[in-house]
Amino acid sequence: METRDDTLSDVFIQEIDEGQACLKCESKCPGYKPHAWRTICDNCKCSRECHDIRFNDTINIRDRIGPKGQRQRNRMWSKRTASKEGYSWVPSDLSPHEIQLYFMQIPSERVPRIGTSGEKYREKQIIKQLPKQDLSANFCKFLGKEYQQHYADFICEREKTAMDIAYVKSGLEQTSECYGCRGTVILGDLVVVNSKLGEENPFHPGCFVCSVCEELLVDLVCCTLNGKIYCQRHYAEQIRPRCAACDELIFDGRYTRAMSKDWHTIHFCCWKCDESLTGQRYLIRDDQPFCVGCYEKIYSNICHECGKLIGVDSKDLSYKDKHWHETCFSCNKCHASLENNVFGSKADRVYCATCYESDFATECHVCGQIVKAGSSKMEYKDKQWHAKCFRCVVCADSIGTESFIPKDNDIYCPSCYEQKFSTRCIKCHQVIDANGVTYCNEPWHRECFSCTGCQMCLAGQRFTSVDEKPYCAQCFGELFAKRCNACNGPITGIGGTRFISFEDRNWHNRCFVCAACQRSLVGKGFMADGADVLCVECAKNRFIN
């Protein structure tokens, strides 16, 4: 007998879907309200799967699939073990270390860690892959009594030949091939084994997916058919058609095939009014069928001329977001039909070519000829051009729908405008599109504004000029500055440097000192003795002695 540490309920475990929020509409939907027979919300018309459907407890998958499913594998799923490791589900009979290794081999967003999107993913996949109406007749609203035995036979055959709860095996004894991706399964790897295919056909954990939806098989529940594995939903659809409206399997041999989908005959109805469309005309919009009346009320256009609805049996003629009946699409002046004829428009009215040209036609800004109704033309502000005349004034290339730049009543393509009018660097003569500087009323690239002597960039640096040419402080001092009579260094004057001049000699303020006592002579009397300058006292001492 199988031992379990959680109590198996005899009640079919099902989801809570009444009043749940719509994840697509968000606040626009007051909460999920089941449609009478469609699997949609009667409030917002979004599918059931778009809502935050949930379970009121951690789900034991065997409670979901029922007693027969429990016998698929004599293995134990422990809610306590999963909770202890921080998951809503873990594979059976694995150590904590092996559980971690298993989850490392599937996408992180699919790992059912409690409180994460992976937990919600698992719940959604349980609802999707194991629809309750496929597991118990108690949840089939449209299974006639005469077909209940067919349903029971389907369940019995599925349990007997197809359904299985796969298991994770550790310590593979030999290198093998993954049955899913055909890649190598290395000796000692964790693998998923489906008893219907045998241990000789293992799967990588991340490869154990449904052959149709390619989603991970939730809690390792799978069905096998003709050597392929499926989730229960898509396995069932290999055996029986499924109604696109109520999502139940169809056991009645009489059903409707329309829009590449299968429907119970009573369920092939108008999406809006629910009236049967079997044997009736219908139209499709957003992948849903509508009766003619509902389609016209919701989607048909209103005639711009008569203000009446343009039915599905009427030709709908349109121009610039306006629509007309075929008979209403006529010249606003002479009332001649415009269908298949050249016409022009003015102030939301349409005119035949003759009336338009006589009343409204303008001359082309370039060639001076009339821009005829119905001809291709270009308009900008209060001017019009023939399409063939709308060309760059410089290169004469057709502009068409490309960008252009107007200037002084002329049209330029961007390239020609740039060549003709853009600011160019005085040094390299290339266009300055950013980071320019101005010197002597001339534009420069920052990198081009450099010292005439050493070519160092002067942008943001101190500089001076000689004959309107810029020089850095060092080059100016080396090439043009006066020399200090004491230190022989350049006297540049840059940055406010002060200096002393006497006869043909110059000194930095700091260098203008007495040759004898080295005291500063700035602002004091001094005397010259050959190359030396002396303070008054030192001069007296020198001359007296």
Side-chain angles (χ1 to χ4, degrees):
M1 179 179 293
E2 179 182 6
T3 58
R4 299 179 52 194
D5 60 351
D6 53 329
T7 303
L8 176 63
S9 172
D10 293 331
V11 179
F12 186 90
I13 300 300
Q14 55 184 307
E15 55 272 15
I16 300 173
D17 56 10
E18 188 76 30
Q20 296 303 311
C22 181
L23 303 176
K24 185 177 181 181
C25 297
E26 298 179 344
S27 60
K28 296 180 182 178
C29 176
Y32 183 75
K33 178 183 178 183
H35 185 272
W37 45 270
R38 287 193 176 102
T39 54
I40 63 169
C41 173
D42 214 22
N43 286 324
C44 65
K45 305 303 180 185
C46 292
S47 69
R48 184 168 177 263
E49 288 72 22
C50 289
H51 292 75
D52 191 22
I53 308 304
R54 61 181 176 84
F55 296 86
N56 61 356
D57 195 6
T58 302
I59 315 129
N60 183 335
I61 198 66
R62 299 183 187 184
D63 293 351
R64 177 75 173 182
I65 63 179
K68 291 183 180 179
Q70 297 165 38
R71 297 197 294 269
Q72 293 295 326
R73 292 226 35 98
N74 187 25
R75 288 178 175 267
M76 181 177 65
W77 179 91
S78 172
K79 183 187 298 186
R80 254 201 311 269
T81 299
S83 179
K84 180 180 178 181
E85 297 300 320
Y87 301 98
S88 59
W89 169 84
V90 296
S92 301
D93 303 335
L94 295 185
S95 68
H97 176 66
E98 289 171 333
I99 290 171
Q100 295 300 319
L101 289 178
Y102 172 81
F103 284 130
M104 287 174 63
Q105 296 183 62
I106 66 175
S108 59
E109 68 275 11
R110 300 293 188 251
V111 176
R113 189 177 294 278
I114 294 173
T116 68
S117 60
E119 181 183 27
K120 294 300 296 182
Y121 168 79
R122 173 178 178 255
E123 292 185 357
K124 291 293 184 182
Q125 291 305 311
I126 288 174
I127 295 170
K128 181 179 178 181
Q129 295 184 24
L130 301 169
K132 57 189 177 182
Q133 65 273 17
D134 285 16
L135 303 174
S136 172
N138 294 332
F139 296 96
C140 295
K141 298 179 181 178
F142 305 100
L143 180 66
K145 291 184 179 180
E146 67 272 30
Y147 301 110
Q148 289 183 358
Q149 186 58 49
H150 294 294
Y151 182 91
D153 292 343
F154 164 77
I155 296 290
C156 181
E157 183 65 19
R158 182 187 65 196
E159 299 292 338
K160 179 181 178 181
T161 65
M163 181 171 277
D164 183 33
I165 299 178
Y167 62 96
V168 178
K169 178 180 175 62
S170 61
L172 195 65
E173 297 177 356
Q174 62 182 6
T175 299
S176 184
E177 181 182 74
C178 174
Y179 194 78
C181 70
R182 300 303 177 185
T184 301
V185 178
I186 301 174
L187 180 68
D189 277 357
L190 286 177
V191 294
V192 177
V193 176
N194 172 8
S195 63
K196 303 296 183 183
L197 296 175
E199 292 191 357
E200 66 274 15
N201 294 307
F203 292 79
H204 292 119
C207 296
F208 197 58
V209 299
C210 171
S211 298
V212 176
C213 63
E214 299 184 345
E215 294 285 357
L216 290 172
L217 289 160
V218 63
D219 292 13
L220 305 181
V221 178
C222 61
C223 292
T224 307
L225 181 66
N226 298 328
K228 294 184 178 181
I229 57 171
Y230 300 89
C231 65
Q232 194 291 136
R233 168 180 289 276
H234 291 114
Y235 163 80
E237 292 174 7
Q238 308 303 308
I239 310 299
R240 304 297 309 179
R242 185 184 298 277
C243 179
C246 71
D247 204 38
E248 292 186 22
L249 297 175
I250 302 173
F251 290 89
D252 188 345
R254 295 168 296 177
Y255 62 93
T256 299
R257 178 73 178 171
M259 300 168 54
S260 300
K261 300 176 183 177
D262 300 314
W263 315 70
H264 285 115
T265 300
I266 59 172
H267 289 163
F268 185 55
C269 300
C270 173
W271 181 254
K272 178 66 176 178
C273 68
D274 289 344
E275 289 296 321
S276 175
L277 296 177
T278 302
Q280 306 296 320
R281 290 177 63 199
Y282 66 91
L283 297 100
I284 301 172
R285 185 69 176 249
D286 298 328
D287 202 32
Q288 299 297 344
F290 292 84
C291 67
V292 172
C294 288
Y295 186 92
E296 289 183 339
K297 289 178 183 177
I298 301 172
Y299 298 112
S300 290
N301 296 303
I302 302 299
C303 178
H304 181 66
E305 183 63 28
C306 70
K308 296 180 180 179
L309 184 145
I310 304 174
V312 296
D313 293 321
S314 299
K315 186 180 289 188
D316 185 334
L317 303 179
S318 64
Y319 174 70
K320 287 188 176 181
D321 298 325
K322 295 179 176 60
H323 300 262
W324 291 264
H325 289 103
E326 179 182 3
T327 55
C328 294
F329 192 53
S330 59
C331 176
N332 190 62
K333 184 176 181 181
C334 69
H335 305 295
S337 174
L338 299 180
E339 184 183 10
N340 298 323
N341 291 313
V342 174
F343 66 92
S345 67
K346 191 74 173 180
D348 289 338
R349 296 294 181 180
V350 288
Y351 299 86
C352 66
T354 302
C355 293
Y356 181 86
E357 290 174 12
S358 65
D359 292 355
F360 308 112
T362 58
E363 294 181 354
C364 173
H365 183 64
V366 172
C367 71
Q369 299 298 311
I370 292 294
V371 180
K372 295 184 177 181
S375 64
S376 181
K377 66 180 180 180
M378 304 297 294
E379 296 183 11
Y380 177 72
K381 292 187 176 179
D382 58 345
K383 298 180 178 63
Q384 293 187 353
W385 293 260
H386 294 109
K388 64 180 181 180
C389 295
F390 195 60
R391 299 174 178 274
C392 172
V393 71
V394 176
C395 67
D397 284 348
S398 176
I399 292 176
T401 58
E402 300 297 324
S403 60
F404 65 92
I405 302 172
K407 184 176 177 62
D408 299 333
N409 293 322
D410 288 323
I411 298 296
Y412 296 85
C413 67
S415 177
C416 290
Y417 182 88
E418 182 180 280
Q419 292 293 325
K420 189 175 180 67
F421 298 108
S422 293
T423 301
R424 293 181 176 275
C425 175
I426 193 66
K427 182 176 181 179
C428 70
H429 306 296
Q430 298 301 310
V431 172
I432 301 174
D433 51 11
N435 298 325
V437 298
T438 300
Y439 173 66
C440 291
N441 294 322
E442 298 288 356
W444 305 67
H445 288 112
R446 286 179 64 87
E447 59 271 21
C448 291
F449 186 58
S450 58
C451 173
T452 306
C454 66
Q455 303 305 312
M456 179 184 73
C457 180
L458 296 178
Q461 304 295 322
R462 294 189 305 165
F463 69 93
T464 188
S465 64
V466 176
D467 297 331
E468 297 188 352
K469 293 180 180 180
Y471 291 86
C472 66
Q474 184 173 347
C475 288
F476 177 80
E478 294 294 335
L479 298 174
F480 305 107
K482 296 176 181 180
R483 295 284 171 173
C484 177
N485 196 63
C487 70
N488 201 38
I491 302 174
T492 62
I494 295 176
T497 300
R498 302 179 67 181
F499 65 97
I500 306 297
S501 292
F502 175 67
E503 297 179 346
D504 58 347
R505 289 181 287 176
N506 303 281
W507 293 265
H508 292 108
N509 269 21
R510 66 178 182 276
C511 296
F512 191 54
V513 296
C514 175
C517 67
Q518 300 301 309
R519 287 185 296 181
S520 174
L521 298 177
V522 176
K524 299 178 180 179
F526 65 90
M527 297 183 66
D529 182 20
D532 295 335
V533 287
L534 302 168
C535 65
V536 175
E537 284 190 24
C538 290
K540 288 180 180 179
N541 292 335
R542 177 178 292 188
F543 295 144
I544 293 173
N545 295 332

